[in-house]
Amino acid sequence: MKYVVVTGGVISGLGKGVTTASIAKIIQSMGHKVTVVKIDPYVNVDAGTMSPFEHGEVFVLEDGGEVDLDLGNYERFLNIHLTKAHNITTGKVYLNVIEKERKGAYLGKTVQIIPHITDEIRNEIRKVGKDHDITVIEVGGTVGDIESMPFLEALRQLSIEEDVVFIHVTLVPNLTVVGEPKTKPTQHSVKTLREVGISPHIIVCRSTQKLNEKTKEKIALFTNVKVDHVISAPDVEDIHFMPIIFNEEKIGQKILDYFKIDGKPNLSLWKSILCKEYKKNVNLAIVGKYIDLHDSYLSISQALKHASFKTCYKTNISWIEAENFDNVNITDEFENYDGILVPGGFGSRGVEGKINVIKYARENNIPFLGICLGFQLSVIEYARNVYGLKNANTTEICNTEYPVIDLLPEQKKISTKGGNMRLGSSEIILDKNTMIYSLYKTDRIFERHRHRYEVNKDYVDLLTKDKKLIFSGKSPNGLMEALEVKGHPFFLGTQFHPEFKSKVESVAPTFYGFVKAMGEKQ
Ligand code: GLN
């Protein structure tokens, strides 16, 4: 089996995930079956209980895996679906080994990091890689971190048994505008990697501009890498240009040369999708709670990007703190927006602000998309402001006279948190003659979920009495999955998360419809 391992040095946040996704995309375009694994050295078993404020969004897979957001980049770039097994964490590895130990699998032995933990890591990697030509593995964190040591050791061992190409991503800073790019951090970082027995074959250098030859030569000399294997990764306005930039440096051919296999990159489809010239700008307000870290809503901003490529309407996002509108009767604060999006979320902070904004979007014909919590709050808004159910709410926030959103029945029995929400892909039946049906052009769809609460069925008849609010999508066992408001240019709420399935090469219909509606707004 063949593996490409991507490690990172100097600092975190170098765009290693996008680098990994871009390299994997190029190899895929060379005609090889590629998959991607993310190693996260943290002790959490999965990303499900981690705060979006610290780690960005929790990405949800088809099988319900709650994983690191980088897996979203891999799926979006490669147009593939991954599974829980593609995200390996310290917590998961130790949990497996400890469970085996308790069952007596190592009877008589002293269970140790080497070989038992490193064996477990290699086994997990091999399981995922076995049906693929090439497996690209991204190692989270920075070399030198204590947490990543067992993983780097496992990968060193893997390189003795299999074909492995190591790529190290580093930073080449420029201290002043005219100053020379500094190679010392890269030199030190490669030295640290060598100390654990790994010599990189290729070095990818993040920098503000393309590296000049002199800098590349210096890095090559100090790190023992061929000069044409020092690859420049300059800042780009849009991450979707990264596969194109890496391809210009022939990174795919260089990797395949090590494996002694052939292939010619073909990014023509990719290039044809990226919109060359936008027809117009549309202004979108995303009203949420985790807005200080935009990565908290990464899949949403990427799905909007995909829709912008297809419509050629460029979406400019304004991130709005919902809490600021908790006690505001909105009049003209949102009049310059072509659309409003209320994303998913948990807990009570900012909920009243979001409800106020939804009311404004509904009453003023502003294209609106509400996702998960955004969907639930649009039900509450309608109950309160159209049917006069004062204090209607979700039982996630308070016990109320009108619990229009309530716990899913199976959730009532669960008292722990972690991996037990309604998660992953499930079927939704769409009603014909609805807006959502016209977007998907089919009555049977599969979308991903991550929630504990649902529309309370006791209120469905009442809420739909005016025949303007309709639940246009339902699960086969009768959960409300989508709502729309008739007569409004675009008012759509979804209990599911359409953003998790949007891909560069196949945009989510919901987002396409939403951006189109924003572009067509009068
Ligand atoms: N907090 C809500 C629930 O658990 C919505 C979840 C979400 O937006 N992902 O149902």
Side-chain angles (χ1 to χ4, degrees):
M1 280 188 267
K2 301 187 181 347
Y3 298 90
V4 177
V5 173
V6 182
T7 55
V10 187
I11 56 166
S12 59
L14 286 177
K16 203 155 27 95
V18 173
T19 300
T20 305
S22 303
I23 292 171
K25 181 75 205 170
I26 294 169
I27 304 174
Q28 184 193 50
S29 86
M30 298 172 95
H32 298 287
K33 199 168 173 214
V34 177
T35 192
V36 192
V37 174
K38 173 79 195 283
I39 288 175
D40 280 309
Y42 45 69
V43 185
N44 303 59
V45 174
D46 62 33
T49 54
M50 291 165 84
S51 162
F53 275 127
E54 263 184 53
H55 264 268
E57 138 191 302
V58 177
F59 190 74
V60 181
L61 301 169
E62 291 290 285
D63 67 1
E66 296 173 284
V67 294
D68 186 83
L69 53 75
D70 281 318
L71 276 88
N73 282 327
Y74 312 152
E75 285 202 347
R76 288 187 282 269
F77 271 49
L78 294 161
N79 211 12
I80 54 173
H81 285 163
L82 301 171
T83 67
K84 284 177 192 171
H86 291 81
N87 196 184
I88 303 175
T89 69
T90 297
K92 199 194 237 180
V93 173
Y94 274 77
L95 190 65
N96 286 350
V97 170
I98 291 169
E99 276 173 356
K100 280 189 200 161
E101 188 273 338
R102 291 289 80 187
K103 283 187 193 141
Y106 307 106
L107 228 48
K109 298 216 175 71
T110 310
V111 182
Q112 293 180 301
I113 295 181
I114 303 171
H116 302 99
I117 294 291
T118 50
D119 279 356
E120 180 71 22
I121 296 169
R122 291 199 328 283
N123 289 345
E124 288 297 305
I125 291 173
R126 283 209 174 92
K127 259 194 245 163
V128 173
K130 77 175 177 337
D131 301 321
H132 295 82
D133 302 331
I134 298 173
T135 303
V136 183
I137 303 164
E138 178 187 347
V139 187
T142 308
V143 295
D145 294 348
I146 290 178
E147 285 89 346
S148 52
M149 288 298 183
F151 292 103
L152 293 175
E153 170 57 17
L155 293 164
R156 183 194 68 79
Q157 294 169 5
L158 189 75
S159 73
I160 300 169
E161 301 153 349
E162 314 275 0
D163 281 345
V164 181
V165 170
F166 285 100
I167 300 180
H168 191 52
V169 185
T170 73
L171 177 73
V172 178
N174 255 65
L175 290 186
T176 57
V177 184
V178 283
E180 228 182 294
K182 294 291 175 197
T183 65
K184 195 69 84 190
T186 300
Q187 296 176 34
H188 280 288
S189 176
V190 172
K191 201 170 139 204
T192 310
L193 194 56
R194 286 245 168 78
E195 279 166 13
V196 298
I198 295 173
S199 298
H201 300 88
I202 293 172
I203 298 181
V204 171
C205 301
R206 288 283 292 109
S207 55
T208 45
Q209 274 132 25
K210 275 198 163 189
L211 292 188
N212 56 36
E213 270 314 295
K214 203 171 126 216
T215 308
K216 285 189 173 185
E217 277 163 17
K218 196 165 169 190
I219 292 171
L221 182 68
F222 278 98
T223 60
N224 221 9
V225 165
K226 292 181 202 161
V227 67
D228 65 344
H229 285 46
V230 179
I231 308 283
S232 198
D235 287 350
V236 283
E237 205 187 308
D238 184 333
I239 56 166
H240 297 97
F241 291 110
M242 284 321 293
I244 299 167
I245 291 175
F246 282 135
N247 194 36
E248 281 164 7
E249 300 230 18
K250 300 198 167 49
I251 195 164
Q253 286 94 324
K254 285 165 194 169
I255 294 168
L256 294 202
D257 283 350
Y258 279 113
F259 292 143
K260 300 191 178 58
I261 52 175
D262 297 327
K264 217 169 150 252
N266 180 359
L267 294 176
S268 53
L269 175 64
W270 186 268
K271 286 184 189 159
S272 72
I273 288 168
L274 312 187
C275 184
K276 313 290 160 311
E277 212 181 321
Y278 289 101
K279 283 190 275 194
K280 70 195 262 196
N281 287 303
V282 294
N283 295 321
L284 169 68
I286 297 190
V287 184
K289 151 180 184 185
Y290 315 108
I291 50 143
D292 287 339
L293 182 65
H294 298 174
D295 269 2
S296 305
Y297 303 112
L298 185 65
S299 294
I300 289 181
S301 45
Q302 294 307 300
L304 288 163
K305 192 110 221 182
H306 306 157
S308 285
F309 289 152
K310 188 157 174 185
T311 55
C312 273
Y313 297 140
K314 185 167 194 253
T315 310
N316 298 324
I317 301 174
S318 300
W319 302 92
I320 314 275
E321 176 60 62
E323 213 176 3
N324 296 343
F325 293 91
D326 275 356
N327 300 306
V328 179
N329 184 20
I330 296 165
T331 48
D332 52 8
E333 294 87 339
F334 287 82
E335 70 182 3
N336 293 327
Y337 291 110
D338 303 302
I340 293 174
L341 190 154
V342 176
F346 294 83
S348 60
R349 193 170 65 76
V351 154
E352 289 302 319
K354 290 179 193 170
I355 293 174
N356 290 337
V357 174
I358 295 170
K359 176 173 185 275
Y360 177 83
R362 183 177 58 78
E363 290 179 344
N364 292 280
N365 288 331
I366 315 276
F368 169 77
L369 181 60
I371 298 173
C372 206
L373 183 64
F375 159 82
Q376 297 172 355
L377 298 182
S378 52
V379 173
I380 296 171
E381 188 279 316
Y382 211 84
R384 286 187 191 175
N385 299 322
V386 177
Y387 290 109
L389 306 185
K390 214 167 152 256
N391 300 327
N393 217 321
T394 157
T395 54
E396 179 174 3
I397 293 170
C398 61
N399 290 322
T400 154
E401 203 184 337
Y402 303 115
V404 290
I405 307 292
D406 196 10
L407 266 184
L408 284 154
E410 66 268 26
Q411 291 289 329
K412 293 188 174 148
K413 295 170 230 137
I414 299 173
S415 59
T416 57
K417 292 205 161 68
N420 55 23
M421 281 189 249
R422 178 176 180 233
L423 290 166
S425 174
S426 55
E427 187 181 357
I428 298 154
I429 313 294
L430 303 181
D431 285 344
K432 298 207 169 117
N433 301 319
T434 59
M435 183 172 75
I436 194 162
Y437 178 86
S438 71
L439 295 173
Y440 280 87
K441 300 186 174 61
T442 169
D443 59 358
R444 199 164 162 256
I445 62 169
F446 288 82
E447 291 283 3
R448 299 183 190 175
H449 299 80
R450 185 172 187 250
H451 64 119
R452 289 197 173 87
Y453 294 81
E454 61 157 338
V455 175
N456 185 339
K457 292 196 188 85
D458 295 346
Y459 287 88
V460 168
D461 285 348
L462 190 151
L463 289 167
T464 52
K465 219 164 76 191
D466 68 355
K467 306 231 173 342
K468 281 185 84 182
L469 178 100
I470 53 164
F471 289 104
S472 45
K474 298 186 189 72
S475 72
N477 60 353
L479 296 183
M480 301 306 130
E481 288 273 11
L483 73 76
E484 44 197 86
V485 173
K486 291 217 155 155
H488 189 288
F490 190 102
F491 191 99
L492 182 64
T494 61
Q495 181 60 76
F496 58 87
H497 288 267
E499 72 274 24
F500 291 141
K501 267 177 82 172
S502 195
K503 309 274 189 293
V504 176
E505 289 163 17
S506 64
V507 49
T510 321
F511 279 86
Y512 171 69
F514 181 51
V515 171
K516 192 160 162 281
M518 285 199 284
E520 288 165 3
K521 179 176 166 280
Q522 301 302 321

